[in-house]
Amino acid sequence: MTKKLAGLPTWQRNLFVLWFGVFMTGIGFSEVLPFLSLYVDTLGNFSKNQLTFYSGLAFAITFLMTAIVSPFWGKLADSKGRKLMLLRASLGMAIVFLLMGLAQNIWQLVFLRALQGLFGGFVSNANAMIATQTPKERSGYALGMLVTGVTGGQLLGPFIGGILASVVSYRVSFFITGIIFLLVFTLTLTLVKEEFTPIERGASPSRKEVFKLLPFPKLTVGLFTTTFIIQTVNLSISPIVALFVRELNHGAGSTTFLAGVVAAMPGIATMIAAPRFGRIGDRIGTHRMIMIGFVLAFIFMLPTGFVTTVWQLAIMRFMIGISDATMLPAVQTMLTKSTPREITSRIFAYNQSFQSLGAVAGPMLGTVIASVLDYNGIFIFSAFLIVLNAILFFIRTRFLRAGEVSVSASKAANLPI
């Protein structure tokens, strides 16, 4: 296997190794979902309300910490190299997961979950490395492949975590995940090659200077907003998916199994479609691909609010995954094409922050809407969020359609006119 990898072009070898890395990161962040609250319950004698609060805190704090520290890691990556950040993230997560298996009380677990967010950044730096080292004409395909890795990990994570927890216990599940992250660290250290020119000490631009370096700063901010809303919409159903499935199925059959099928549908669709749509976006223009995604997302999201059976819900969630596959790689690709190479990591880190904030806002929004408008209302509200997102993005990219950008500026940023 190592010999085969060594014979590949550098960007393809990096893509192969980093795909495995982001796949494991997706698993690491999602595998605890089936048993996190149960693990919390073993760490103290809590009332029902206390257990709900501590479980929510342990879940959310990882994403909050990621949102806060991602810009710092991005700045460091642009000055010290993306490979160093990949090694820092994989080794840090390995240690944190091993320690989680040793937690003795809830505050130790919450602290370690915060450290998990602190040591994050593997996905954003993997995206930045692939974006800067892949031939521009293949960037949509390569970033689409990385999306399948993250999505696949997030899809299989709860399934793998549930199996591990039932077979070997909660604590051993953390140990196994930590060992796998050590493998990711080793593969990254030995196989990933980076062509990087470090920035001299003190030469790294400030946040204001970063945005001054952007040829189209309003477009970049629009892409951040798009990422946030996509993630918010995708995760808004997370707190109530099992309850909605039970209601649709009138309590018959295995709610846990059916909820797992429904939850898996978007990820399966995205894994299948993302690389293909990435290649299409390379041909027709990434901004057009994102607009197509908005149209599809609205068409599929609104009817989901009126489903009457579990299988209707599963089919519509699969179609939502198709719309995600049009947008997620295209957002990454457009960020790549509109960002100078020397600040790529910073921009991808900011995008990671917005994605993490969406991971916090989505479940909170879904819970509030469900309490006011019932479960169906989440999808109807999400459909109008998509419309708002589309309008904002349309405004931000109108210069691409109107030919307001000079040919030289467009070529410099690799954007289509």
Side-chain angles (χ1 to χ4, degrees):
M1 177 66 73
T2 303
K3 290 183 179 179
K4 289 183 179 179
L5 287 175
L8 293 174
T10 299
W11 73 270
Q12 287 185 328
R13 182 172 66 250
N14 288 349
L15 178 61
F16 185 90
V17 175
L18 294 180
W19 184 94
F20 177 72
V22 299
F23 177 75
M24 285 311 308
T25 300
I27 289 178
F29 272 78
S30 65
E31 72 164 354
V32 300
L33 297 182
F35 64 84
L36 181 62
S37 59
L38 301 176
Y39 187 46
V40 169
D41 200 25
T42 68
L43 299 177
N45 186 20
F46 306 119
S47 67
K48 181 178 179 180
N49 287 339
Q50 287 176 324
L51 180 60
T52 301
F53 171 76
Y54 287 133
S55 298
L57 177 62
F59 174 79
I61 197 167
T62 300
F63 296 100
L64 283 172
M65 188 60 71
T66 299
I68 293 169
V69 302
S70 286
F72 168 76
W73 291 131
K75 181 177 181 179
L76 199 60
D78 281 330
S79 61
K80 301 296 183 181
R82 286 109 198 183
K83 181 175 178 177
L84 180 63
M85 292 299 100
L86 292 168
L87 293 173
R88 183 266 311 158
S90 54
L91 182 60
M93 287 191 289
I95 295 171
V96 166
F97 270 90
L98 291 171
L99 290 176
M100 274 194 232
L102 300 174
Q104 298 300 308
N105 59 60
I106 180 58
W107 296 114
Q108 288 179 3
L109 180 63
V110 169
F111 175 71
L112 290 169
R113 289 280 295 172
L115 282 184
Q116 182 184 344
L118 175 66
F119 285 114
F122 191 96
V123 174
S124 61
N125 279 290
N127 278 321
M129 177 175 279
I130 293 301
T132 54
Q133 295 193 208
T134 300
K136 292 294 184 181
E137 66 274 10
R138 304 297 302 277
S139 60
Y141 161 75
L143 291 169
M145 284 297 297
L146 282 186
V147 168
T148 68
V150 178
T151 304
Q154 292 173 341
L155 165 66
L156 294 177
F159 177 70
I160 294 173
I163 291 177
L164 287 175
S166 62
V167 173
V168 298
S169 83
Y170 307 138
R171 293 184 183 276
V172 176
S173 300
F174 287 116
F175 295 151
I176 292 173
T177 306
I179 292 171
I180 293 175
F181 272 117
L182 285 176
L183 175 60
V184 173
F185 171 81
T186 303
L187 290 174
T188 303
L189 178 65
T190 56
L191 294 177
V192 171
K193 305 299 180 185
E194 181 179 22
E195 299 170 3
F196 178 74
T197 303
I199 299 175
E200 295 181 8
R201 185 178 180 85
S204 181
S206 66
R207 182 170 58 186
K208 287 185 178 180
E209 290 170 338
V210 165
F211 282 90
K212 286 181 180 179
L213 289 172
L214 292 169
F216 312 114
K218 291 183 179 179
L219 171 63
T220 301
V221 173
L223 291 170
F224 292 162
T225 305
T226 298
T227 296
F228 171 78
I229 296 179
I230 291 173
Q231 190 76 343
T232 299
V233 168
N234 283 344
L235 296 183
S236 61
I237 190 180
S238 297
I240 57 88
V241 61
L243 301 176
F244 191 33
V245 166
R246 184 174 65 184
E247 180 181 282
L248 290 174
N249 211 38
H250 307 293
S254 173
T255 297
T256 303
F257 170 75
L258 293 174
V261 171
V262 170
M265 286 296 103
I268 292 173
T270 301
M271 283 188 68
I272 293 171
R276 294 170 174 81
F277 284 130
R279 284 192 289 265
I280 294 173
D282 285 336
R283 293 199 302 269
I284 70 172
T286 47
H287 66 294
R288 294 188 182 93
M289 207 70 217
I290 294 173
M291 288 304 303
I292 291 171
F294 287 138
V295 173
L296 293 177
F298 179 79
I299 290 173
F300 300 141
M301 186 66 74
L302 187 61
T304 307
F306 301 94
V307 298
T308 56
T309 69
V310 174
W311 296 112
Q312 288 175 358
L313 177 62
I315 291 170
M316 297 311 296
R317 294 300 291 169
F318 182 88
M319 300 311 292
I320 287 295
I322 295 293
S323 69
D324 286 344
T326 66
M327 291 186 286
L328 294 175
V331 168
Q332 304 283 5
T333 304
M334 203 164 192
L335 282 173
T336 301
K337 293 180 176 180
S338 60
T339 303
R341 185 179 293 263
E342 63 269 20
I343 58 170
T344 299
S345 291
R346 296 278 289 277
I347 295 302
F348 273 87
Y350 289 137
N351 195 56
Q352 178 72 53
S353 291
F354 277 83
Q355 188 172 6
S356 297
L357 289 173
V360 176
M364 292 175 60
L365 181 66
T367 301
V368 172
I369 294 174
S371 65
V372 177
L373 301 175
D374 206 0
Y375 304 138
N376 305 72
I378 295 175
F379 304 102
I380 297 171
F381 187 85
S382 294
F384 286 100
L385 266 184
I386 292 167
V387 172
L388 174 62
N389 201 358
I391 292 171
L392 292 174
F393 183 80
F394 186 83
I395 293 172
R396 296 291 189 188
T397 58
R398 60 186 175 187
F399 69 92
L400 296 176
R401 297 179 299 277
E404 296 173 6
V405 183
S406 68
V407 174
S408 59
S410 297
K411 287 183 177 179
N414 292 297
L415 285 171
I417 296 179

